[in-house]
Amino acid sequence: MATKIPVVLAGATGKTGKEVGRAIAQAQDMELIGAVGHSHVGMALSDLWSEPGLSVVIRGAVDTIDVPYAVLVDFTEPTSAYSRILEATARGWDLVVGTTGFSPLQLDAIHDRVQHQQNGAVLIANFSLGAWIMERLAQDASRYLDQAEVIEAHAATKRDRPSGTAKRMARLLADGWGRSVEDIPVHSIRLPGMVAHQAVIFGSSGQTLTLRHDVHDRSAYAAGVLAAIRRVHEFRGKVVQNLGDVIVPD
Ligand SMILES: NC(=O)c1ccc[n+]([C@@H]2O[C@H](COP(=O)([O-])OP(=O)(O)OC[C@H]3O[C@@H](n4cnc5c(N)ncnc54)[C@H](OP(=O)(O)O)[C@@H]3O)[C@@H](O)[C@H]2O)c1
């Protein structure tokens, strides 16, 4: 049997990390060999996820996980994720990052590091298939309609605003129209009961066109994350930010 891909998961206690972590643990071609967290250091995933048989214990940092190679999967928050990414790349690990909210300076530094160290890296603001399809539909609509606003809504606990997904949508529209990204208004809603929702409303004389995507539960991200883990080693020295580059065969 082929060697399994070793995976270290940061954010295993979080809403998204827990969902993608379970999918990783169930994947036949992957092995969850480590987990990193903040407030549950020392606890076993079997207890945290109520999944008997998972002996992985939450560690405080990746440098306590003594393996030559792993794919770091990160769904945490940008400050700690940034340090963890630098640590993982220095060790020759590959990256699958879902954490959002990095500053432009941090993103530039991650690109430089990955290029210099020749790591594989996938850093995608939204791993759901629907969000990627929506980007393509919006880009298509923007060829015919030249005014739009983006509305995103997330759980009240989400730290960054606007969401990484909405920032990317505004950037894609602005680039297509040859305008500044600041010219595309983005509205953010943070309320209990929300999971992850986005609409792009195009306006034209006498009509509007609305594209909308709703994530009802975080299992929506799992397939994209698994695909990225499987392919990340192919992307040496560059940071892949488009889900299509991961899920659509070359
Ligand atoms: N790319 C995508 O498709 C996608 C989808 C959903 C969410 N996200 C992003 O993923 C991130 C997490 O979202 P969420 O909704 O899952 O948040 P969440 O439920 O609040 O979970 C946050 C996780 O981060 C961990 N954490 C916080 N501070 C840490 C630190 N200093 N060191 C290590 N771990 C730390 C927490 O660990 P403790 O429990 O130990 O504190 C927890 O496991 C956000 O940036 C969000 O925007 C991306």
Side-chain angles (χ1 to χ4, degrees), residues 7-191:
V7 179
V8 169
L9 174 64
T13 51
K15 294 183 287 297
T16 316
K18 194 172 171 182
E19 198 68 45
V20 302
R22 283 202 171 112
I24 293 164
Q26 284 164 14
Q28 297 293 311
D29 56 345
M30 296 174 196
E31 187 176 4
L32 191 57
I33 57 158
V36 177
H38 178 54
S39 56
H40 296 80
V41 174
M43 285 188 73
L45 288 186
S46 50
D47 296 332
L48 286 165
W49 293 354
S50 305
E51 296 252 355
L54 265 179
S55 57
V56 173
V57 168
I58 305 260
R59 310 289 187 102
V62 283
D63 61 9
T64 61
I65 300 171
D66 187 17
V67 292
Y69 172 77
V71 176
L72 173 69
V73 175
D74 201 297
F75 282 87
T76 59
E77 53 74 49
T79 306
S80 69
Y82 179 67
S83 311
R84 212 162 21 252
I85 286 168
L86 296 188
E87 169 78 27
T89 49
R91 294 178 65 179
W93 294 10
D94 291 330
L95 308 171
V96 173
V97 177
T99 303
T100 57
F102 295 108
S103 70
L105 274 178
Q106 288 174 323
L107 287 173
D108 284 349
I110 293 169
H111 280 258
D112 287 349
R113 173 62 79 93
V114 164
Q115 189 179 27
H116 184 254
Q117 300 277 139
Q118 290 293 295
N119 310 87
V122 175
L123 199 155
I124 289 180
N126 197 315
F127 277 96
S128 69
L129 182 63
W132 175 69
I133 295 170
M134 186 180 181
E135 281 181 0
R136 292 172 58 105
L137 294 174
Q139 284 177 297
D140 202 13
S142 71
R143 293 166 57 207
Y144 309 99
L145 302 166
D146 66 1
Q147 286 189 63
E149 302 204 4
V150 181
I151 305 174
E152 57 97 346
H154 284 82
T157 51
K158 183 172 177 59
R159 294 191 190 189
D160 55 320
R161 72 161 69 199
S163 69
T165 311
K167 284 199 273 191
R168 183 175 153 85
M169 177 63 80
R171 162 67 58 201
L172 290 173
L173 293 172
D175 287 352
W177 287 328
R179 290 191 214 147
S180 159
V181 71
E182 284 77 32
D183 288 350
I184 317 295
V186 178
H187 312 272
S188 298
I189 296 166
R190 296 286 174 271
L191 280 175

